[in-house]
Amino acid sequence: MVKIVVKIFGPKYFGFDQYDVITLQLDIGGTATVGNVIDELERRYPGLRQKLLKGEEIIPMHDIWVNGRSITFLQGLKTPLREGDVLQIIPPFGG
């Protein structure tokens, strides 16, 4: 099991009933990748995946970071995760 932290920014956008950042601690069994985490989050919060991904690609203007780096510049959904990693889910922001 790999323990990671997931932070969901702008949770209201993703259908949660709160505005503050949601912080979760997850235990991921087997091979821990960003894709596995998204699958686990979808099991817990149905509909989250379709608001974040189109197929296996991040919807433009959304982002997923691992330890402060966009997975776009890593290995995408196949980015491996290690014990203590922080995965951040970021919706589009306007200003």
Side-chain angles (χ1 to χ4, degrees):
M1 293 289 236
V2 175
K3 293 182 183 202
I4 65 157
V5 173
V6 176
K7 293 186 176 194
I8 302 173
F9 291 83
K12 194 75 171 174
Y13 172 84
F14 291 110
F16 293 91
D17 289 333
Q18 66 187 68
Y19 291 98
D20 296 332
V21 174
I22 293 175
T23 302
L24 308 166
Q25 294 198 16
L26 296 180
D27 293 328
I28 304 298
T31 303
T33 65
V34 171
N36 296 117
V37 171
I38 299 302
D39 291 343
E40 176 60 28
L41 290 172
E42 177 64 22
R43 279 190 284 282
R44 293 178 183 210
Y45 311 106
L48 180 69
R49 183 181 180 86
Q50 71 183 15
K51 290 186 178 182
L52 185 61
L53 302 174
K54 183 172 185 170
E56 296 298 310
E57 300 293 322
I58 299 172
I59 294 173
M61 304 302 292
H62 296 69
D63 212 348
I64 301 172
W65 293 358
V66 174
N67 300 328
R69 294 185 64 203
S70 173
I71 66 168
T72 302
F73 302 107
L74 299 171
Q75 296 174 39
L77 295 177
K78 294 179 182 177
T79 301
L81 300 171
R82 296 183 309 232
E83 186 81 19
D85 280 351
V86 177
L87 185 141
Q88 298 169 300
I89 297 174
I90 304 165
F93 285 102

Coordinates of all heavy atoms in Angstrom, one line a residue:
M1 N 0.8 -1.2 0.0 CA 0.0 0.0 0.0 C 0.9 1.3 0.0 O 1.9 1.3 0.7 CB -0.9 0.0 1.2 CG -1.9 -1.0 1.3 SD -3.2 -0.7 0.1 CE -4.6 -0.7 1.1
V2 N 0.5 2.2 -0.8 CA 1.2 3.5 -0.9 C 0.2 4.5 -0.3 O -0.9 4.6 -0.8 CB 1.6 3.8 -2.3 CG1 2.2 5.2 -2.4 CG2 2.5 2.7 -2.9
K3 N 0.7 5.3 0.6 CA -0.2 6.4 1.2 C 0.2 7.7 0.5 O 1.4 8.1 0.5 CB 0.1 6.5 2.7 CG -0.4 5.3 3.5 CD -0.2 5.5 5.0 CE -0.6 4.2 5.6 NZ -0.9 4.4 7.0
I4 N -0.8 8.3 0.0 CA -0.6 9.6 -0.6 C -1.7 10.6 -0.1 O -2.7 10.2 0.5 CB -0.7 9.5 -2.2 CG1 -2.1 9.1 -2.6 CG2 0.3 8.6 -2.7 CD1 -2.4 9.6 -4.0
V5 N -1.4 11.9 -0.4 CA -2.3 12.9 0.0 C -2.9 13.5 -1.3 O -2.2 13.7 -2.3 CB -1.6 14.1 0.7 CG1 -2.6 15.2 0.9 CG2 -1.1 13.5 2.1
V6 N -4.2 13.7 -1.4 CA -4.9 14.2 -2.5 C -5.5 15.6 -2.1 O -6.3 15.6 -1.1 CB -6.0 13.3 -3.1 CG1 -6.8 14.0 -4.2 CG2 -5.4 12.0 -3.5
K7 N -5.3 16.6 -2.8 CA -5.9 17.9 -2.6 C -6.7 18.3 -3.8 O -6.2 18.3 -4.9 CB -4.9 19.0 -2.3 CG -4.1 18.7 -1.0 CD -3.2 19.9 -0.7 CE -2.5 19.6 0.7 NZ -1.9 20.8 1.2
I8 N -8.0 18.6 -3.5 CA -8.9 19.0 -4.6 C -9.2 20.4 -4.4 O -9.9 20.8 -3.4 CB -10.2 18.1 -4.6 CG1 -9.9 16.6 -4.7 CG2 -11.2 18.6 -5.7 CD1 -11.0 15.7 -4.5
F9 N -8.7 21.2 -5.3 CA -9.0 22.7 -5.3 C -10.3 23.0 -6.0 O -10.7 22.3 -6.9 CB -7.8 23.4 -5.9 CG -6.5 23.4 -5.1 CD1 -5.7 22.3 -5.3 CD2 -6.2 24.4 -4.3 CE1 -4.5 22.2 -4.5 CE2 -5.0 24.3 -3.5 CZ -4.2 23.2 -3.7
G10 N -11.0 24.0 -5.5 CA -12.3 24.4 -6.1 C -13.3 23.3 -6.1 O -13.8 22.9 -7.1
P11 N -13.4 22.6 -4.9 CA -14.3 21.4 -4.9 C -15.7 21.7 -5.3 O -16.4 20.8 -5.8 CB -14.2 21.0 -3.4 CG -13.8 22.2 -2.7 CD -12.9 23.0 -3.6
K12 N -16.2 22.9 -5.2 CA -17.6 23.2 -5.6 C -17.8 22.9 -7.1 O -18.8 22.4 -7.6 CB -17.9 24.6 -5.3 CG -19.4 25.0 -5.4 CD -20.1 24.4 -4.2 CE -21.5 24.9 -4.1 NZ -22.3 24.3 -3.1
Y13 N -16.7 23.2 -7.9 CA -16.7 23.0 -9.3 C -16.9 21.5 -9.6 O -17.6 21.1 -10.6 CB -15.4 23.5 -9.9 CG -15.2 23.1 -11.4 CD1 -15.8 23.9 -12.4 CD2 -14.5 22.0 -11.7 CE1 -15.6 23.6 -13.7 CE2 -14.4 21.6 -13.1 CZ -14.9 22.4 -14.1 OH -14.8 22.1 -15.4
F14 N -16.3 20.7 -8.8 CA -16.4 19.2 -9.0 C -17.7 18.6 -8.4 O -17.8 17.4 -8.4 CB -15.2 18.5 -8.5 CG -13.9 18.9 -9.3 CD1 -12.9 19.7 -8.7 CD2 -13.8 18.4 -10.6 CE1 -11.8 20.0 -9.5 CE2 -12.6 18.7 -11.3 CZ -11.6 19.5 -10.8
G15 N -18.5 19.4 -7.8 CA -19.8 18.9 -7.3 C -19.8 18.6 -5.8 O -20.8 18.1 -5.3
F16 N -18.8 19.1 -5.1 CA -18.8 18.9 -3.6 C -19.6 20.1 -3.0 O -19.8 21.1 -3.6 CB -17.4 18.9 -3.1 CG -16.6 17.7 -3.5 CD1 -15.8 17.7 -4.6 CD2 -16.6 16.5 -2.7 CE1 -15.1 16.6 -5.0 CE2 -15.9 15.4 -3.1 CZ -15.1 15.5 -4.3
D17 N -20.0 19.9 -1.8 CA -20.8 20.9 -1.1 C -20.0 21.8 -0.3 O -20.5 22.4 0.7 CB -21.9 20.2 -0.2 CG -23.0 19.6 -1.0 OD1 -23.2 20.0 -2.1 OD2 -23.5 18.6 -0.5
Q18 N -18.8 22.1 -0.6 CA -17.9 23.0 0.1 C -17.0 23.8 -0.8 O -16.8 23.4 -2.0 CB -17.1 22.3 1.2 CG -16.1 21.3 0.6 CD -15.4 20.5 1.7 OE1 -16.0 19.7 2.4 NE2 -14.1 20.8 2.0
Y19 N -16.5 24.9 -0.3 CA -15.7 25.8 -1.1 C -14.2 25.6 -0.8 O -13.3 25.9 -1.6 CB -16.1 27.2 -0.9 CG -17.4 27.6 -1.5 CD1 -18.6 27.6 -0.8 CD2 -17.5 27.8 -2.9 CE1 -19.8 27.9 -1.3 CE2 -18.8 28.1 -3.5 CZ -19.9 28.1 -2.7 OH -21.1 28.4 -3.2
D20 N -13.9 25.2 0.4 CA -12.5 25.0 0.8 C -11.9 23.8 0.2 O -12.5 22.9 -0.2 CB -12.4 24.9 2.4 CG -12.9 26.1 3.1 OD1 -12.8 27.2 2.6 OD2 -13.4 25.9 4.2
V21 N -10.5 23.9 0.1 CA -9.8 22.8 -0.5 C -10.1 21.5 0.3 O -10.1 21.5 1.5 CB -8.3 23.1 -0.4 CG1 -7.5 21.9 -0.9 CG2 -7.9 24.3 -1.3
I22 N -10.3 20.4 -0.4 CA -10.5 19.1 0.2 C -9.2 18.4 0.3 O -8.5 18.3 -0.8 CB -11.6 18.3 -0.6 CG1 -13.0 18.9 -0.5 CG2 -11.6 16.8 0.0 CD1 -14.0 18.3 -1.3
T23 N -8.8 17.9 1.4 CA -7.6 17.1 1.6 C -8.0 15.7 2.0 O -8.6 15.5 3.0 CB -6.7 17.8 2.6 OG1 -6.4 19.1 2.1 CG2 -5.4 17.0 2.7
L24 N -7.5 14.7 1.3 CA -7.8 13.3 1.5 C -6.5 12.6 1.7 O -5.5 12.9 1.0 CB -8.6 12.7 0.4 CG -9.9 13.4 -0.1 CD1 -10.3 12.8 -1.4 CD2 -10.9 13.2 1.0
Q25 N -6.5 11.6 2.5 CA -5.3 10.6 2.6 C -5.8 9.3 2.0 O -6.8 8.8 2.5 CB -4.8 10.5 4.0 CG -4.2 11.8 4.4 CD -3.3 11.6 5.7 OE1 -2.9 10.5 6.0 NE2 -3.0 12.7 6.3
L26 N -5.2 8.8 1.0 CA -5.6 7.6 0.3 C -4.5 6.5 0.5 O -3.3 6.8 0.4 CB -5.9 7.8 -1.1 CG -7.0 8.7 -1.5 CD1 -7.1 8.8 -3.1 CD2 -8.3 8.2 -0.9
D27 N -4.9 5.3 0.6 CA -4.0 4.1 0.6 C -4.3 3.5 -0.8 O -5.4 3.0 -1.0 CB -4.3 3.1 1.7 CG -3.9 3.7 3.1 OD1 -3.0 4.5 3.1 OD2 -4.6 3.3 4.1
I28 N -3.3 3.4 -1.6 CA -3.5 2.8 -3.0 C -2.7 1.5 -3.0 O -1.5 1.5 -2.7 CB -2.9 3.8 -4.0 CG1 -3.6 5.2 -4.0 CG2 -3.1 3.2 -5.4 CD1 -5.1 5.2 -4.2
G29 N -3.4 0.5 -3.3 CA -2.8 -0.8 -3.4 C -2.3 -1.1 -4.8 O -2.6 -0.4 -5.8
G30 N -1.4 -2.1 -4.9 CA -0.9 -2.4 -6.2 C 0.0 -1.4 -6.8 O 0.7 -0.7 -6.0
T31 N 0.0 -1.2 -8.1 CA 0.8 -0.2 -8.7 C 0.1 1.2 -8.5 O -1.0 1.4 -9.0 CB 1.0 -0.5 -10.2 OG1 1.6 -1.7 -10.3 CG2 1.9 0.6 -10.8
A32 N 0.8 2.1 -7.8 CA 0.2 3.4 -7.6 C 0.5 4.4 -8.7 O 1.7 4.7 -8.9 CB 0.6 3.9 -6.2
T33 N -0.5 4.8 -9.5 CA -0.3 5.8 -10.5 C -1.4 6.8 -10.4 O -2.4 6.6 -9.6 CB -0.4 5.2 -11.9 OG1 -1.8 4.7 -12.1 CG2 0.6 4.0 -12.1
V34 N -1.2 7.9 -11.0 CA -2.2 9.0 -11.0 C -3.5 8.4 -11.5 O -4.6 8.7 -11.0 CB -1.8 10.2 -11.9 CG1 -2.9 11.2 -12.1 CG2 -0.5 10.9 -11.3
G35 N -3.5 7.6 -12.6 CA -4.7 7.0 -13.1 C -5.4 6.1 -12.1 O -6.7 6.2 -12.0
N36 N -4.7 5.4 -11.3 CA -5.3 4.6 -10.2 C -6.0 5.5 -9.2 O -7.0 5.1 -8.7 CB -4.2 3.7 -9.5 CG -3.6 2.7 -10.4 OD1 -2.4 2.7 -10.6 ND2 -4.4 1.8 -10.9
V37 N -5.4 6.6 -8.9 CA -6.0 7.5 -7.9 C -7.2 8.1 -8.4 O -8.3 8.2 -7.7 CB -5.0 8.6 -7.5 CG1 -5.7 9.7 -6.7 CG2 -3.8 8.1 -6.7
I38 N -7.2 8.5 -9.7 CA -8.5 9.0 -10.3 C -9.6 8.0 -10.3 O -10.7 8.3 -10.0 CB -8.2 9.5 -11.8 CG1 -7.1 10.7 -11.8 CG2 -9.5 10.0 -12.4 CD1 -7.5 11.9 -10.9
D39 N -9.2 6.7 -10.6 CA -10.2 5.6 -10.5 C -10.8 5.5 -9.1 O -12.0 5.3 -9.0 CB -9.6 4.3 -11.0 CG -9.2 4.3 -12.5 OD1 -9.8 5.1 -13.2 OD2 -8.4 3.4 -12.9
E40 N -9.9 5.5 -8.1 CA -10.4 5.4 -6.7 C -11.3 6.6 -6.4 O -12.3 6.4 -5.7 CB -9.2 5.3 -5.8 CG -9.6 5.3 -4.3 CD -10.5 4.1 -3.9 OE1 -10.4 3.1 -4.6 OE2 -11.2 4.3 -2.9
L41 N -10.9 7.8 -6.8 CA -11.7 9.0 -6.5 C -13.1 8.9 -7.2 O -14.1 9.3 -6.7 CB -11.0 10.3 -6.9 CG -9.8 10.6 -6.1 CD1 -9.0 11.8 -6.7 CD2 -10.2 11.0 -4.6
E42 N -13.1 8.3 -8.4 CA -14.4 8.1 -9.1 C -15.3 7.1 -8.4 O -16.5 7.3 -8.4 CB -14.1 7.6 -10.6 CG -15.3 7.4 -11.4 CD -16.2 8.6 -11.7 OE1 -15.7 9.7 -11.6 OE2 -17.4 8.4 -12.0
R43 N -14.7 6.1 -7.8 CA -15.5 5.1 -7.0 C -16.1 5.8 -5.8 O -17.3 5.6 -5.5 CB -14.6 4.0 -6.6 CG -14.4 2.9 -7.6 CD -13.8 1.7 -7.1 NE -12.3 1.8 -6.8 CZ -11.4 1.8 -7.7 NH1 -11.7 1.5 -9.0 NH2 -10.1 1.9 -7.4
R44 N -15.4 6.7 -5.2 CA -15.9 7.4 -4.0 C -16.8 8.6 -4.4 O -17.7 8.8 -3.6 CB -14.7 8.0 -3.2 CG -13.8 6.9 -2.6 CD -12.7 7.5 -1.8 NE -11.8 6.5 -1.3 CZ -11.1 6.6 -0.2 NH1 -11.2 7.8 0.5 NH2 -10.3 5.7 0.2
Y45 N -16.5 9.2 -5.5 CA -17.2 10.4 -5.9 C -17.6 10.3 -7.3 O -17.0 10.9 -8.2 CB -16.4 11.7 -5.6 CG -15.8 11.8 -4.2 CD1 -14.4 11.6 -4.0 CD2 -16.6 12.0 -3.1 CE1 -13.9 11.6 -2.8 CE2 -16.0 12.0 -1.8 CZ -14.7 11.8 -1.7 OH -14.1 11.9 -0.4
P46 N -18.7 9.6 -7.6 CA -19.1 9.4 -9.0 C -19.3 10.7 -9.8 O -19.8 11.6 -9.2 CB -20.4 8.6 -8.9 CG -20.3 7.9 -7.6 CD -19.5 8.9 -6.7
G47 N -18.7 10.8 -11.0 CA -18.8 12.0 -11.8 C -17.6 12.8 -11.8 O -17.4 13.7 -12.7
L48 N -16.7 12.6 -10.8 CA -15.5 13.4 -10.8 C -14.6 13.2 -12.0 O -14.1 14.2 -12.6 CB -14.7 13.1 -9.5 CG -13.4 13.9 -9.3 CD1 -13.7 15.3 -9.0 CD2 -12.5 13.2 -8.2
R49 N -14.5 12.0 -12.5 CA -13.6 11.7 -13.6 C -14.1 12.5 -14.9 O -13.3 13.1 -15.6 CB -13.6 10.2 -13.9 CG -12.7 9.8 -15.0 CD -12.7 8.3 -15.2 NE -11.9 7.9 -16.3 CZ -10.6 7.7 -16.2 NH1 -10.0 7.7 -15.0 NH2 -9.9 7.3 -17.3
Q50 N -15.4 12.5 -15.1 CA -15.9 13.1 -16.4 C -15.7 14.7 -16.3 O -15.7 15.3 -17.3 CB -17.3 12.8 -16.6 CG -18.3 13.3 -15.7 CD -19.7 12.9 -16.0 OE1 -19.9 11.9 -16.7 NE2 -20.7 13.5 -15.4
K51 N -15.6 15.2 -15.1 CA -15.4 16.7 -15.0 C -13.9 17.0 -15.1 O -13.6 18.2 -15.3 CB -15.9 17.2 -13.7 CG -17.4 17.2 -13.6 CD -17.9 17.8 -12.3 CE -19.4 17.8 -12.3 NZ -20.0 18.4 -11.2
L52 N -13.1 16.0 -15.1 CA -11.6 16.2 -15.1 C -11.0 15.7 -16.4 O -10.0 16.3 -16.9 CB -11.0 15.6 -13.9 CG -9.5 15.8 -13.6 CD1 -9.2 17.2 -13.4 CD2 -9.1 15.0 -12.4
L53 N -11.5 14.6 -16.9 CA -10.8 13.9 -18.0 C -11.8 13.7 -19.2 O -13.0 13.5 -18.9 CB -10.3 12.6 -17.6 CG -9.3 12.5 -16.5 CD1 -9.0 11.1 -16.1 CD2 -8.0 13.3 -16.8
K54 N -11.3 13.7 -20.4 CA -12.0 13.2 -21.5 C -11.2 12.1 -22.1 O -10.2 12.2 -22.6 CB -12.1 14.4 -22.6 CG -13.0 13.9 -23.8 CD -13.2 15.1 -24.7 CE -14.1 14.6 -25.8 NZ -14.6 15.8 -26.6
G55 N -11.8 10.9 -21.9 CA -11.0 9.7 -22.2 C -9.9 9.6 -21.2 O -10.0 9.6 -20.0
E56 N -8.7 9.6 -21.7 CA -7.5 9.5 -20.9 C -6.7 10.8 -20.9 O -5.5 10.8 -20.5 CB -6.6 8.3 -21.4 CG -7.2 7.0 -21.3 CD -7.5 6.6 -19.8 OE1 -6.6 6.7 -19.0 OE2 -8.6 6.2 -19.6
E57 N -7.3 11.9 -21.4 CA -6.7 13.2 -21.4 C -7.3 14.2 -20.5 O -8.5 14.2 -20.3 CB -6.7 13.7 -22.9 CG -6.0 12.9 -23.9 CD -4.5 12.8 -23.7 OE1 -3.9 13.8 -23.3 OE2 -4.0 11.7 -24.0
I58 N -6.5 15.0 -19.9 CA -7.1 16.1 -19.0 C -7.8 17.1 -19.9 O -7.3 17.5 -20.9 CB -5.9 16.8 -18.2 CG1 -5.2 15.8 -17.4 CG2 -6.5 17.9 -17.4 CD1 -4.0 16.4 -16.7
I59 N -9.0 17.5 -19.5 CA -9.8 18.5 -20.2 C -9.0 19.8 -20.1 O -8.4 20.2 -19.1 CB -11.2 18.7 -19.5 CG1 -12.0 17.4 -19.7 CG2 -11.9 19.9 -20.1 CD1 -13.3 17.4 -19.0
P60 N -8.8 20.5 -21.3 CA -8.1 21.7 -21.3 C -8.5 22.7 -20.2 O -9.7 22.8 -19.8 CB -8.4 22.3 -22.7 CG -8.6 21.1 -23.5 CD -9.4 20.2 -22.6
M61 N -7.6 23.4 -19.6 CA -7.7 24.4 -18.5 C -7.8 23.7 -17.2 O -7.9 24.4 -16.2 CB -8.9 25.3 -18.8 CG -8.9 26.0 -20.1 SD -7.4 27.1 -20.3 CE -7.7 28.3 -19.1
H62 N -7.8 22.4 -17.1 CA -7.8 21.7 -15.8 C -6.3 21.2 -15.7 O -5.6 21.1 -16.6 CB -8.7 20.4 -15.9 CG -10.1 20.7 -16.0 ND1 -10.7 21.3 -17.1 CD2 -11.1 20.6 -15.1 CE1 -12.0 21.4 -17.0 NE2 -12.3 21.1 -15.8
D63 N -6.0 20.8 -14.5 CA -4.6 20.2 -14.3 C -4.6 19.3 -13.1 O -5.4 19.4 -12.2 CB -3.6 21.3 -14.1 CG -2.2 21.0 -14.7 OD1 -2.0 19.8 -15.1 OD2 -1.4 21.8 -14.9
I64 N -3.6 18.4 -13.2 CA -3.3 17.5 -12.1 C -1.8 17.6 -11.8 O -1.0 17.5 -12.8 CB -3.7 16.0 -12.4 CG1 -5.2 15.9 -12.7 CG2 -3.3 15.1 -11.3 CD1 -5.6 14.5 -13.3
W65 N -1.4 17.8 -10.6 CA 0.0 18.0 -10.3 C 0.4 16.9 -9.3 O -0.5 16.5 -8.5 CB 0.2 19.3 -9.6 CG 0.0 20.5 -10.4 CD1 -0.3 20.6 -11.7 CD2 0.2 21.9 -10.0 NE1 -0.4 21.9 -12.2 CE2 -0.1 22.7 -11.1 CE3 0.5 22.5 -8.8 CZ2 0.0 24.1 -11.0 CZ3 0.5 23.8 -8.7 CH2 0.3 24.7 -9.8
V66 N 1.6 16.5 -9.4 CA 2.2 15.6 -8.4 C 3.4 16.3 -7.8 O 4.3 16.7 -8.5 CB 2.6 14.2 -9.0 CG1 3.4 13.4 -8.0 CG2 1.4 13.5 -9.5
N67 N 3.3 16.6 -6.5 CA 4.4 17.3 -5.8 C 4.8 18.6 -6.5 O 6.0 18.9 -6.7 CB 5.7 16.4 -5.7 CG 5.4 15.1 -4.9 OD1 4.5 15.1 -4.0 ND2 6.0 14.0 -5.2
G68 N 3.8 19.3 -7.0 CA 4.0 20.6 -7.6 C 4.3 20.6 -9.0 O 4.6 21.7 -9.6
R69 N 4.3 19.5 -9.7 CA 4.6 19.4 -11.1 C 3.4 18.9 -11.9 O 2.8 17.8 -11.5 CB 5.8 18.5 -11.4 CG 7.1 19.1 -10.7 CD 8.3 18.3 -11.1 NE 8.6 18.3 -12.5 CZ 9.2 17.4 -13.1 NH1 9.7 16.4 -12.5 NH2 9.4 17.5 -14.4
S70 N 3.1 19.5 -13.0 CA 2.0 19.0 -13.8 C 2.3 17.7 -14.4 O 3.4 17.4 -14.9 CB 1.7 20.0 -14.9 OG 0.7 19.5 -15.8
I71 N 1.3 16.8 -14.4 CA 1.5 15.4 -15.0 C 1.7 15.5 -16.5 O 2.2 14.6 -17.1 CB 0.4 14.4 -14.6 CG1 -0.9 14.8 -15.2 CG2 0.4 14.2 -13.1 CD1 -2.0 13.7 -15.1
T72 N 1.3 16.7 -17.1 CA 1.5 16.9 -18.5 C 3.0 16.8 -18.8 O 3.4 16.3 -19.9 CB 1.0 18.3 -18.9 OG1 -0.4 18.3 -18.6 CG2 1.2 18.5 -20.4
F73 N 3.9 17.2 -17.9 CA 5.3 17.1 -18.1 C 5.9 15.9 -17.5 O 7.2 15.8 -17.5 CB 5.9 18.4 -17.6 CG 5.3 19.7 -18.2 CD1 4.5 20.5 -17.6 CD2 5.6 20.0 -19.6 CE1 3.9 21.6 -18.2 CE2 5.1 21.1 -20.2 CZ 4.2 21.9 -19.5
L74 N 5.1 15.0 -16.9 CA 5.6 13.8 -16.3 C 5.2 12.7 -17.3 O 5.5 12.7 -18.4 CB 5.1 13.6 -14.9 CG 5.6 14.8 -13.9 CD1 4.8 14.7 -12.6 CD2 7.1 14.7 -13.7
Q75 N 4.5 11.7 -16.8 CA 4.0 10.6 -17.6 C 2.5 10.5 -17.7 O 1.9 9.4 -17.8 CB 4.6 9.3 -17.0 CG 6.1 9.2 -17.1 CD 6.6 7.9 -16.4 OE1 6.0 6.9 -16.5 NE2 7.7 8.1 -15.6
G76 N 1.8 11.7 -17.6 CA 0.4 11.7 -17.6 C -0.3 10.8 -16.6 O 0.2 10.8 -15.4
L77 N -1.3 10.2 -16.9 CA -2.0 9.3 -16.0 C -1.2 8.1 -15.5 O -1.5 7.5 -14.5 CB -3.4 8.9 -16.5 CG -4.4 10.0 -16.8 CD1 -5.7 9.4 -17.5 CD2 -4.8 10.7 -15.5
K78 N -0.2 7.8 -16.2 CA 0.7 6.7 -15.9 C 1.8 7.1 -14.9 O 2.7 6.3 -14.5 CB 1.3 6.1 -17.1 CG 0.3 5.4 -18.0 CD 0.9 4.8 -19.2 CE -0.2 4.3 -20.1 NZ 0.3 3.7 -21.4
T79 N 1.8 8.4 -14.5 CA 2.8 8.9 -13.6 C 2.8 8.1 -12.3 O 1.8 8.0 -11.6 CB 2.6 10.4 -13.2 OG1 2.6 11.1 -14.4 CG2 3.6 10.9 -12.3
P80 N 3.9 7.4 -12.0 CA 4.0 6.6 -10.7 C 4.0 7.5 -9.5 O 4.5 8.6 -9.5 CB 5.3 5.8 -10.8 CG 6.1 6.6 -11.8 CD 5.2 7.4 -12.7
L81 N 3.4 7.0 -8.4 CA 3.3 7.7 -7.1 C 4.1 6.9 -6.1 O 4.1 5.6 -6.1 CB 1.9 7.8 -6.7 CG 1.0 8.7 -7.7 CD1 -0.5 8.6 -7.3 CD2 1.5 10.1 -7.7
R82 N 4.7 7.6 -5.2 CA 5.4 7.0 -4.1 C 4.8 7.4 -2.7 O 4.1 8.4 -2.7 CB 6.9 7.4 -4.1 CG 7.6 6.9 -5.4 CD 9.1 7.3 -5.3 NE 9.2 8.7 -5.0 CZ 9.9 9.6 -5.7 NH1 10.5 9.2 -6.8 NH2 9.9 10.8 -5.4
E83 N 5.2 6.7 -1.7 CA 4.7 7.0 -0.4 C 4.9 8.5 -0.1 O 6.0 9.1 -0.3 CB 5.5 6.2 0.6 CG 5.1 6.3 2.0 CD 3.9 5.4 2.4 OE1 3.6 4.5 1.6 OE2 3.2 5.7 3.4
G84 N 3.9 9.2 0.4 CA 4.0 10.6 0.8 C 3.8 11.6 -0.3 O 3.8 12.8 0.0
D85 N 3.6 11.1 -1.5 CA 3.4 12.1 -2.6 C 2.1 12.9 -2.4 O 1.2 12.4 -1.8 CB 3.3 11.4 -4.0 CG 4.7 11.0 -4.6 OD1 5.7 11.5 -4.0 OD2 4.7 10.3 -5.6
V86 N 2.1 14.1 -3.0 CA 0.9 14.9 -2.9 C 0.4 15.1 -4.3 O 1.1 15.6 -5.2 CB 1.2 16.3 -2.2 CG1 -0.1 17.2 -2.3 CG2 1.7 16.1 -0.8
L87 N -0.9 14.7 -4.5 CA -1.5 14.9 -5.8 C -2.6 16.0 -5.7 O -3.4 16.0 -4.8 CB -2.2 13.5 -6.2 CG -2.8 13.5 -7.6 CD1 -2.6 12.2 -8.3 CD2 -4.3 13.8 -7.6
Q88 N -2.5 17.0 -6.6 CA -3.4 18.1 -6.5 C -4.2 18.1 -7.8 O -3.7 18.0 -8.9 CB -2.6 19.4 -6.4 CG -1.8 19.5 -5.2 CD -0.8 20.7 -5.2 OE1 0.1 20.7 -6.1 NE2 -0.9 21.6 -4.3
I89 N -5.5 18.3 -7.6 CA -6.5 18.4 -8.7 C -6.9 19.8 -8.8 O -7.5 20.4 -7.8 CB -7.7 17.4 -8.5 CG1 -7.1 16.0 -8.5 CG2 -8.7 17.6 -9.6 CD1 -8.2 14.9 -8.2
I90 N -6.8 20.4 -10.0 CA -7.0 21.9 -10.1 C -8.0 22.1 -11.2 O -7.7 21.8 -12.4 CB -5.6 22.6 -10.3 CG1 -4.7 22.2 -9.2 CG2 -5.8 24.1 -10.5 CD1 -3.2 22.6 -9.5
P91 N -9.1 22.7 -10.9 CA -10.1 23.1 -12.0 C -9.6 24.4 -12.7 O -8.7 25.0 -12.3 CB -11.4 23.3 -11.2 CG -10.9 23.9 -9.9 CD -9.6 23.2 -9.6
P92 N -10.3 24.7 -13.7 CA -10.0 26.0 -14.4 C -10.4 27.2 -13.4 O -11.3 27.1 -12.7 CB -10.9 26.0 -15.6 CG -12.0 25.1 -15.4 CD -11.4 24.1 -14.4
F93 N -9.5 28.2 -13.4 CA -9.7 29.3 -12.6 C -9.9 30.5 -13.5 O -9.2 30.6 -14.5 CB -8.6 29.6 -11.7 CG -8.5 28.7 -10.5 CD1 -7.6 27.6 -10.5 CD2 -9.3 28.8 -9.4 CE1 -7.5 26.8 -9.4 CE2 -9.3 28.0 -8.3 CZ -8.4 26.9 -8.3
G94 N -10.8 31.4 -13.2 CA -10.9 32.7 -13.9 C -10.6 33.8 -13.0 O -10.5 33.7 -11.8
G95 N -10.3 35.0 -13.5 CA -10.0 36.1 -12.7 C -10.2 37.4 -13.3 O -10.7 37.6 -14.4

